[in-house]
Amino acid sequence: MSSVVVVGTQWGDEGKGKIVDYLASQADVVARYQGGSNAGHTVVANGHEFKLHLLPSGILYPGCTCIIGNDVVLDPKELLDELDDMASKNQKVSTLWISNRAHVVMPYHKRFDALEEKFKGNTKVGTTGRGIGPCYADAADRIGIRVVSWMDKEAFATELKAVLEYKNRIMTQVFGEEPFDFQAIYDEYCGYADRLRSYICDTCALMHEILEADKKILFEGAQAAMLDLSHGTYPFVTSSHPTAGAVCVGLGIGPKSIGKIVGVVKAYATRVGEGPFPTEQLNENGVKLREIAHEYGATTGRPRRTGWLDMCVVKYAAQINGLDCIALTRTDILDTFPEIKICTGYKFNGKLLNEFPASLKVLGEVEPVYETLPGWMTSISGIREYDKLPSNCRRYVERIGELAKTRIGIVSVGPDRDQTIVLEPMF
């Protein structure tokens, strides 16, 4: 068995899509284990740009099998839009399977998402508004609609009527909004079901067939460690578990099925939405990082907050994921910085902290301890061998590995697939 988990180590947007796309070319199977259409990355193939939110990255490789697991929340309209976009561009796609245990994102989830954010006012989380949190909440509250019920028109009607009776009471009596129309939702979603029916299966059983066949498997998640529901900067987190441990629950496999765990680290830091961000640069350095790297959300278009690399975050992510190695991305964005800072620790009330703080109050008040390294002041985008990188660039890369106590496995020097320096094989 050969399997690789790719996880984000910061607040998402680390360039994980590029690393997953690169590794997908070597994989037999790409399996998505959590998240929903609030994820997003852009992949270029055959001269066309594709924005993927739900489809696994391996979808662009016809020989690859793609799986959407049981802990992914499925927005059928979004998924069909992605498939239709590929068809309109004559893009060949791989085999796709969707778990019959996955939960379905419904119109009321999106509406509640927006209303709840509005209600929270200054304490809003900054969600994408795509209904992901409310869908996961319904799953935990045991009133969610799973794919297996959605595919059965009679069962779907029964469950939808029951949940709308509850949702409409909240909609009208708490928010003072118009109720949802059962027939409109039922007809719309039955139409989606008819189009997607051939993709549905028991992906847990399928995963075990794949494992027994000793295929190369790439496990793909959405978001990143600092947005994990349990381990991230709660409540400014996503509603699922982007960390490596979620692979087992999200696909119905055991821990022994996980091989190598690769953490994607962006060479600087970004964050979308609300929440503390100790190394944020609200100055010319932050603006320069954003504009050079075009740091705007693939899903929302929102400008990302930018700052220096925070190794307190990366070290914490390495611990909770059990990282085997790091894939360092967007290193080329730092080409024109004469000095580059790395946060190596946090001080709180004048004392150096020994752990990543759970308290947002503490995290919002910490003083980053910086180490300043010299920049390399030259383009590295054309370099394909590690030893040919400028010495200051290698020094920066190696310092990251030292601080994280984790090997560097990949250094990315640009967005294209061939702009990838591999220091150790992933499969």
Side-chain angles (χ1 to χ4, degrees), residues 306-323:
T306 55
W308 297 120
L309 178 60
D310 188 338
M311 288 305 301
C312 295
V313 165
V314 176
K315 284 186 286 186
Y316 176 59
Q319 292 171 341
I320 62 176
N321 284 287
L323 296 186

Side-chain angles (χ1 to χ4, degrees), residues 226-418:
M226 299 312 296
L227 296 175
D228 185 276
L229 183 60
S230 294
H231 298 287
T233 49
Y234 187 90
F236 301 106
V237 293
T238 193
S239 300
S240 60
H241 300 285
T243 39
V247 171
C248 301
V249 177
L251 291 165
I253 61 175
K256 292 179 181 179
S257 300
I258 296 176
K260 182 173 287 188
I261 303 173
V262 180
V264 183
V265 178
K266 183 150 61 177
Y268 52 98
T270 60
R271 181 164 196 174
V272 172
E274 310 299 322
F277 184 7
T279 64
E280 184 172 15
Q281 297 297 295
L282 298 172
N283 53 30
E284 65 275 8
N285 285 323
V287 173
K288 183 177 178 180
L289 283 168
R290 183 182 302 113
E291 295 310 311
I292 290 174
H294 194 67
E295 288 290 356
Y296 296 89
T299 299
T300 63
R302 289 183 293 185
R304 295 176 186 141
R305 299 157 66 190
T306 55
W308 297 120
L309 178 60
D310 188 338
M311 288 305 301
C312 295
V313 165
V314 176
K315 284 186 286 186
Y316 176 59
Q319 292 171 341
I320 62 176
N321 284 287
L323 296 186
D324 291 299
C325 67
I326 283 171
L328 186 65
T329 62
R330 313 217 82 186
T331 319
D332 55 301
I333 300 302
L334 301 177
D335 284 350
T336 59
F337 286 83
E339 290 186 337
I340 302 165
K341 291 186 177 182
I342 300 179
C343 173
T344 59
Y346 294 151
K347 279 186 177 179
F348 182 68
N349 290 336
K351 294 182 179 179
L352 199 64
L353 297 180
N354 293 319
E355 71 284 324
F356 191 84
S359 166
L360 292 199
K361 180 179 182 295
V362 172
L363 190 61
E365 295 176 5
V366 296
E367 176 191 347
V369 177
Y370 285 113
E371 185 176 302
T372 302
L373 280 76
W376 44 94
M377 299 299 288
T378 188
S379 174
I380 61 172
S381 61
I383 298 173
R384 298 294 179 269
E385 295 177 35
Y386 183 74
D387 290 343
K388 292 184 178 178
L389 289 171
S391 59
N392 284 348
C393 182
R394 295 197 307 273
R395 181 179 173 187
Y396 184 72
V397 171
E398 288 158 16
R399 186 61 179 140
I400 291 168
E402 291 168 2
L403 291 167
K405 297 180 180 178
T406 308
R407 302 187 308 274
I408 304 294
I410 290 175
V411 178
S412 172
V413 294
D416 292 342
R417 203 173 290 160
D418 70 335

